[in-house]
């Protein structure tokens, strides 16, 4: 009988992507099948996140639960991957000696060998090194279920923002070769994928080598992806304001397949805080980029990440952030209170803002952005939207759900499940929550 694999994923979309590649890989080499039930799994993998303290704490509580499963069935293999593994390495096993494998984001392709070695020698395997790009050469072709796919185009980060662990856990920025990325997307398109999300910590820092040694920019890559037959929607995440250059804005002007939705993290609207964070730009620089972008895509929806309570953040700094939020008119945000990360430069800075004040600021910010989300959803009523049909609506029988370019969920009357994975045009009739809407029956269905 096929062995069962259970993967628990914490953190970002890069981790989600890595987890699905682990499943593909062990399916290929060991015939393993994914299960959603940890109790029946032969191999349990935890793909960890260390971006904030809370994320890191979750690792050992999860491992504690798995320890009981292993006590009942000692043959169970427990592996820890991702950013906590990368940072802690062998120290993981000091604290949790029942862990069998420790691997980093760049060594997950060595999982099959690690498993085999562990089976024959019954010793613990730790490999959290950073072999450049080797990972992608050893991964099988991605398996596809559905119409959307993630494609990693670069790994790591070399920006070294003062608060962030990513450059230490995932290593320096390294881009995949242009041909590999295009070939992977063409394969996905051949299997029915219609929407791709290009992934990386700073996708607009992409510098993928062509086979002749010249370098492909992110803007150029986007145009090539848009040229792949079958791919009709392109998203990407995450990009950095510094490299959000005119070439990239020009792609928005001439490439409609690139969605009118952009996640461009700014972290703060205060120049003093931005300098302390080592973001290397000002609030005005950011706003200028956004204005240029809106000039070519007036309907674009913009989201951001914010860090509240960075060491030394004053009331005025916070007000500057709120001002930027109003100037950009954000649609959505992922906002968190600053979390001190050991080994990062900001961890040395004095931090005397009381927790209560940070929590209040975060709440004010979140309330403001939630009002924006609702207002922008309401503003869609009466508009015509193109949806990628995703699934049957559970909430409204006889309806399907499609996703608009700006990521809103739209329910529309239609019983024909053959439309799933196709594009339709609908007229929006009403809002049913701050980010979901209802619409007419399809006015146009792609053939
Ligand atoms: N590459 C992206 C960010 C990746 S990390 C960029 O250019 O911004 C994802 C988000 O986690 C960051 O945008 C930041 O808002 C948040 N984050 C990172 N380190 C953090 C910390 N120490 N405390 C709180 N939030 C943090
Ligand atoms: Fe982190 Fe800054 Fe890179 S937030 S991922 S160091 S761009």
């Amino acid at each position: 009988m096929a062995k069962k694999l259970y993967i628990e994923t914490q953190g970002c979309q890069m981790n989600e992507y890595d987890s699905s590649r682990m499943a593909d890989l062990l399916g290929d080499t060991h015939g393993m099948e994914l299960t959603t039930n940890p109790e029946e799994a032969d191999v349990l993998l935890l793909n960890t996140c260390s971006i904030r303290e809370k994320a890191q704490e979750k690792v050992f509580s999860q491992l504690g639960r798995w320890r009981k499963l292993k006590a009942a069935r000692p043959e169970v293999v427990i592996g820890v991957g991702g950013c906590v593994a990368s940072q802690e390495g062998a120290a993981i096993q000091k604290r949790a000696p029942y862990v069998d494998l420790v691997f980093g984001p760049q060594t997950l392709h060595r999982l099959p060998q690690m498993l085999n070695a562990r089976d024959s020698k019954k010793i613990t395997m730790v490999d959290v090194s950073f072999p450049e790009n080797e990972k992608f050469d050893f991964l099988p072709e991605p398996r596809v279920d559905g119409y959307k796919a993630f494609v990693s185009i670069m790994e790591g980060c070399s920006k070294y923002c003062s608060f962030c662990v990513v450059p230490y856990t995932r290593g320096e920025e390294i881009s995949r070769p242009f041909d590999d990325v295009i070939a992977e997307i063409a394969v996905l398109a051949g299997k029915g994928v219609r929407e791709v999300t290009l992934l990386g910590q700073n996708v607009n820092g992409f510098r993928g080598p062509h086979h002749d040694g010249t370098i492909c920019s992110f803007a150029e890559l986007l145009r090539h992806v848009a040229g792949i037959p079958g791919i009709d929607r392109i998203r990407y995440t995450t990009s950095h304001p510094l490299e959000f250059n005119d070439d990239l804005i020009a792609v928005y002007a001439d490439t409609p397949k690139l969605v009118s939705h952009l996640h461009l993290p700014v972290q703060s609207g205060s120049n003093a805080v931005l300098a302390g964070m080592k973001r290397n730009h000002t609030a005005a620089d950011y706003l200028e980029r956004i204005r240029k972008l809106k000039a070519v895509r007036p309907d674009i929806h913009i989201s951001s990440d914010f860090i509240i309570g960075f060491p030394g953040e004053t009331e005025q700094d916070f007000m500057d952030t709120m001002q930027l939020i109003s100037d950009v008119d954000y649609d959505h945000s992922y906002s968190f209170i600053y979390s001190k990360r050991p080994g990062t430069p900001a961890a040395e800075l004095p931090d005397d803002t009381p927790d209560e004040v940070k929590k209040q600021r975060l709440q004010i910010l979140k309330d403001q952005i939630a009002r924006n989300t609702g207002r922008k959803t309401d503003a869609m009523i009466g508009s015509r939207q193109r949806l990628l049909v995703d699934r049957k609506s559970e909430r409204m029988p006889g309806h399907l759900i499609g996703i608009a370019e700006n990521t809103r969920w739209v329910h529309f009357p239609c019983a024909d499940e053959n439309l799933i994975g196709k594009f339709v045009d609908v007229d929006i009739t009403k809002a049913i929550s701050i980010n979901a809407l209802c619409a007419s029956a399809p006015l146009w269905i792609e053939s």
Side-chain angles (χ1 to χ4, degrees):
M1 212 174 65
K3 290 208 164 184
K4 295 260 196 282
L5 170 67
Y6 178 84
I7 308 181
E8 175 93 20
T9 308
Q10 305 177 330
C12 64
Q13 284 167 317
M14 252 68 70
N15 268 9
E16 298 278 349
Y17 175 87
D18 283 349
S19 290
S20 61
R21 304 317 306 275
M22 292 175 207
D24 290 347
L25 182 63
L26 292 176
D28 232 42
T29 59
H30 285 64
M32 285 193 190
E33 280 172 10
L34 268 183
T35 170
T36 52
N37 177 9
E39 311 218 333
E40 65 168 23
D42 303 286
V43 174
L44 295 156
L45 299 179
L46 181 59
N47 196 1
T48 61
C49 171
S50 61
I51 199 83
R52 286 173 290 272
E53 195 180 356
K54 282 218 174 83
Q56 187 142 0
E57 281 164 9
K58 282 198 218 152
V59 172
F60 289 98
S61 52
Q62 180 63 61
L63 288 175
R65 283 192 286 276
W66 285 358
R67 174 189 204 163
K68 293 187 192 115
L69 295 180
K70 187 155 175 154
R73 288 189 298 132
E75 69 280 8
V76 166
V77 174
I78 298 182
V80 180
C83 289
V84 176
S86 171
Q87 247 183 337
E88 304 286 325
I92 299 232
Q93 280 155 322
K94 288 231 172 75
R95 206 166 142 186
Y98 47 91
V99 167
D100 304 283
L101 311 171
V102 179
F103 54 98
Q106 309 303 348
T107 46
L108 61 91
H109 58 284
R110 295 182 184 160
L111 261 177
Q113 294 91 309
M114 289 175 83
L115 262 180
N116 294 343
R118 127 99 217 159
D119 279 349
S120 59
K121 301 200 200 89
K122 295 285 174 214
I123 51 156
T124 304
M125 304 294 300
V126 179
D127 184 353
V128 292
S129 55
F130 293 117
E132 281 195 2
N133 253 341
E134 179 189 296
K135 167 175 167 182
F136 293 100
D137 294 338
F138 288 87
L139 291 173
E141 272 188 5
R143 224 157 305 196
V144 177
D145 56 349
Y147 308 94
K148 292 181 287 182
F150 291 103
V151 174
S152 174
I153 64 166
M154 48 109 61
E155 290 273 331
C157 183
S158 311
K159 297 282 187 293
Y160 292 93
C161 300
S162 65
F163 53 83
C164 185
V165 291
V166 169
Y168 312 99
T169 59
R170 287 192 165 257
E172 296 256 328
E173 271 170 29
I174 165 123
S175 300
R176 288 178 71 190
F178 169 82
D179 288 347
D180 291 7
V181 174
I182 295 295
E184 183 167 323
I185 299 175
V187 167
L188 291 168
K191 293 179 178 172
V193 166
R194 309 301 307 276
E195 172 182 309
V196 282
T197 302
L198 307 180
L199 282 183
Q201 290 298 343
N202 288 299
V203 286
N204 51 346
F206 179 80
R207 285 178 193 82
H210 285 291
H211 52 260
D212 63 2
T214 58
I215 296 296
C216 176
S217 71
F218 184 56
E220 188 187 339
L221 178 72
L222 283 172
R223 287 207 172 84
H224 281 282
V225 174
I228 298 175
I231 300 296
D232 281 292
R233 252 189 199 176
I234 307 168
R235 303 181 186 276
Y236 59 80
T237 195
T238 313
S239 51
H240 192 289
L242 261 193
E243 282 154 318
F244 202 85
N245 55 23
D246 289 347
D247 286 350
L248 182 47
I249 292 174
V251 184
Y252 281 91
D254 63 25
T255 309
K257 289 181 180 180
L258 183 56
V259 293
S260 280
H261 183 268
L262 168 68
H263 185 63
L264 189 62
V266 69
Q267 317 298 353
S268 170
S270 150
N271 290 337
V273 173
L274 286 169
M277 289 176 162
K278 278 194 48 213
R279 296 287 291 182
N280 293 321
H281 66 80
T282 62
D285 295 335
Y286 182 90
L287 204 51
E288 193 257 343
R289 301 281 87 207
I290 298 291
R291 291 212 172 107
K292 272 201 162 171
L293 177 63
K294 283 187 176 173
V296 299
R297 278 286 178 99
D299 61 337
I300 196 152
H301 283 63
I302 297 164
S303 61
S304 177
D305 298 340
F306 290 97
I307 295 179
I308 292 300
F310 183 77
E313 183 188 73
T314 64
E315 196 57 30
Q316 183 57 49
D317 292 324
F318 176 64
M319 298 305 285
D320 290 349
T321 298
M322 293 305 290
Q323 183 61 46
L324 184 70
I325 289 172
S326 133
D327 290 343
V328 174
D329 196 19
Y330 285 106
D331 182 30
H332 186 74
S333 83
Y334 300 91
S335 304
F336 294 92
I337 289 176
Y338 168 72
S339 170
K340 189 175 182 168
R341 304 285 60 216
T344 60
E348 311 296 320
L349 299 172
D351 178 8
D352 45 19
T353 314
D355 277 353
E356 252 338 283
V357 172
K358 293 181 185 174
K359 283 187 189 148
Q360 275 168 9
R361 287 179 188 163
L362 181 65
Q363 199 52 52
I364 293 169
L365 180 148
K366 284 189 163 173
D367 289 346
Q368 173 65 37
I369 292 185
R371 278 195 294 275
N372 284 1
T373 312
R375 176 166 48 77
K376 286 170 184 291
T377 299
D378 288 345
M380 289 167 70
I381 298 169
S383 70
R384 187 157 296 178
Q385 299 283 333
R386 180 151 297 180
L387 311 177
L388 179 51
V389 184
D390 190 65
R391 58 192 149 90
K392 254 167 67 176
S393 164
E394 300 293 333
R395 181 167 168 177
M396 301 174 74
H399 286 60
L400 299 173
I401 298 184
I403 305 172
E405 272 195 33
N406 63 18
T407 72
R408 297 310 194 267
W409 299 101
V410 181
H411 302 247
F412 62 94
C414 181
D416 183 3
E417 287 175 36
N418 291 321
L419 294 194
I420 294 173
K422 289 199 167 142
F423 287 91
V424 297
D425 284 353
V426 294
D427 280 340
I428 304 291
T429 52
K430 67 171 182 197
I432 50 175
S433 73
I434 69 165
N435 55 12
L437 300 122
C438 287
S440 67
L443 306 157
W444 169 86
I445 297 172
E446 80 173 321
S447 49

